[in-house]
């Protein structure tokens, strides 16, 4: 299982960052750190990949549509650039070609059948609410803002991993993702930069592009985990460092959203002239999203859309 340590390292760096009057020192510090995600010869999720959504707790129809539209946008052409699909196309540079995500099943669990305080074992149980009959499938568990999860807001905003199917020998090995809504629990940790950070420089937060700090924060973490999952589904794909705490396709680029980004500053992004919302990607149905940088195998560098 590979947790997202979203901003812990980022905020720690902020305490030792040079002042803004010494950008050369900061640039030199960053350049000294080589970033190479090694391929460990394992299977990746390529071709058509089924995505099943398990909604745990109460989400409004609008909130659900924002997330579903995001997943649809990953493989949908948009005339408006930069686009969500152009961000996702970077995953094609990893061995095996494209990963075409298709939303298939959605399960609504609004009665909190497992309570409002979940352990990792509960997340695994929820991920099995939809049977994975194909190897290329991802079950995504999304927990509502009033659901506490072990480690949530402490050292992770989401996780991804894999499980063996329940059909015995020969059953498909599926993958799963969990992402929590941090709106009321830790928006400064899991929904940054749409909320002031818990630590580090207290710069003004960006305006969330869909008007929902919690959901727009979930988009950042879901985007991270989807890219990490298709490029390292079974912990033997692309990553740097130990397999128990890997830096993956997007988690290797934490906190970078636009050019000129550095710890505590998301970078230069686009701003909607009407709403003042910050974004860097156009999606379907006129949606806008803020997506993190992704490691590009061709350049061995974190690539932002703007």
């Amino acid at each position: 299982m590979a947790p997202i340590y979203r901003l812990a390292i980022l905020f720690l760096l902020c305490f030792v960052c040079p002042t803004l009057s010494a950008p050369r020192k900061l640039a030199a510090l960053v350049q000294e750190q080589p970033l190479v995600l090694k391929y460990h010869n394992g299977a990746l999720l390529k071709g058509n990949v089924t995505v099943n959504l398990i909604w745990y707790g109460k989400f409004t129809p609008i909130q659900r549509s924002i997330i579903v539209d995001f997943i649809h946008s990953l493989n949908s052409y948009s005339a408006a650039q930069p686009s969500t699909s152009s961000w996702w196309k970077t995953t094609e540079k990893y061995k095996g070609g494209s990963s075409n995500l298709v939303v298939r099943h959605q399960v609504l669990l609004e009665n909190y059948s497992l309570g409002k305080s979940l352990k990792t074992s509960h997340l695994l149980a929820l991920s099995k609410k939809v049977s994975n009959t194909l190897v290329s499938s991802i079950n995504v568990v999304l927990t509502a803002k009033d659901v506490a999860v072990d480690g949530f807001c402490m050292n992770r905003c989401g996780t991804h991993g894999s499980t063996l199917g329940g059909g015995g020998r020969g059953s498909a090995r599926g993958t799963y993702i969990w992402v929590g809504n941090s709106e009321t629990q830790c928006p400064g940790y899991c929904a940054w930069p749409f909320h002031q950070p818990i630590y580090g420089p207290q710069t003004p937060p960006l305006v969330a592009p869909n008007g929902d700090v919690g959901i727009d924060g979930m988009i950042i973490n879901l985007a991270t985990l989807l890219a990490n999952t298709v490029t390292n589904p079974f912990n033997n794909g692309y990553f740097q460092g130990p397999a128990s705490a890997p830096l993956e396709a997007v988690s290797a680029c934490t906190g970078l959203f636009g050019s000129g980004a550095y710890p505590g500053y998301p970078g230069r992004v686009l701003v909607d002239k009407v709403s003042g919302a910050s974004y860097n990607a156009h999606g379907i149905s006129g949606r806008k999203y803020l997506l993190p940088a992704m490691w590009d195998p061709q350049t061995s560098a974190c690539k932002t859309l703007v």
Side-chain angles (χ1 to χ4, degrees), residues 21-306:
S21 63
R24 290 184 180 180
K25 292 182 180 180
L26 178 59
L29 175 65
V30 173
Q31 290 172 2
E32 289 172 3
Q33 306 300 318
L35 182 60
V36 177
L37 271 60
K38 180 182 177 182
Y39 177 51
H40 295 79
N41 301 313
L44 308 184
L45 297 188
K46 295 296 181 173
N48 290 332
V49 180
T50 296
V51 177
N52 302 307
L53 303 175
I54 298 98
W55 305 89
Y56 188 81
K58 291 182 170 59
F59 290 87
T60 68
I62 292 176
Q63 289 177 324
R64 294 199 301 269
S65 70
I66 292 169
I67 289 178
V68 172
D69 283 350
F70 165 67
I71 298 173
H72 286 159
S73 296
L74 292 172
N75 298 115
S76 299
Y77 172 77
S78 173
Q81 295 295 322
S83 67
T84 302
S85 59
S86 63
W87 176 83
W88 186 250
K89 282 182 74 68
T90 299
T91 62
E92 295 182 13
K93 299 179 181 181
Y94 293 72
K95 290 183 182 295
S98 63
S99 303
N100 182 38
L101 304 189
V102 181
V103 176
R104 186 175 182 186
H105 298 295
Q106 295 192 57
V107 179
L108 302 182
L109 302 173
E110 296 183 316
N111 61 350
Y112 302 91
S113 57
L114 298 178
K116 292 187 177 182
S117 183
L118 304 181
K119 300 182 182 300
T120 298
S121 59
H122 293 136
L123 300 178
L124 291 171
L126 290 171
S127 73
K128 295 178 181 178
K129 289 293 183 180
V130 179
S131 177
N132 276 330
T133 58
L134 300 172
V135 174
S136 292
S137 59
I138 308 171
N139 285 357
V140 180
V141 177
L142 301 154
T143 52
K145 63 183 180 181
D146 55 350
V147 177
V149 176
D150 274 358
F152 187 33
C153 297
M154 300 288 289
N155 56 22
R156 62 180 184 172
C157 305
T159 54
H160 82 89
S162 62
T163 59
L164 290 175
R169 185 177 180 180
S171 58
R173 188 182 189 187
T175 60
Y176 70 90
I177 286 172
W178 159 68
V179 180
N181 185 333
S182 66
E183 177 186 346
T184 58
Q185 298 185 57
C186 58
Y189 182 63
C190 292
W192 183 85
F194 302 126
H195 191 280
Q196 284 185 295
I198 298 175
Y199 309 109
Q202 296 300 296
T203 54
L206 305 182
V207 178
N210 293 285
D212 189 317
V213 169
I215 296 297
D216 280 303
M218 290 183 82
I219 293 292
I220 293 173
N221 295 311
L222 179 59
T224 299
L225 287 163
L226 285 171
N228 291 355
T229 297
V230 300
T231 59
N232 187 33
F234 308 116
N235 220 25
N236 56 7
Y238 283 86
F239 63 88
Q240 182 188 66
S244 58
L247 290 176
E248 300 172 294
V250 178
S251 59
C253 305
T254 296
L256 309 178
F257 296 91
S259 59
Y262 53 80
Y265 171 60
R268 291 181 288 275
V269 297
L270 304 176
V271 178
D272 187 281
K273 294 180 180 179
V274 176
S275 66
S278 294
Y279 68 100
N280 60 9
H282 293 270
I284 65 171
S285 304
R287 297 279 189 202
K288 295 181 175 69
Y289 300 103
L290 186 68
L291 304 179
M294 189 186 308
W295 187 75
D296 188 327
Q298 291 182 348
T299 61
S300 294
C302 290
K303 177 183 178 183
T304 59
L305 282 172
V306 293

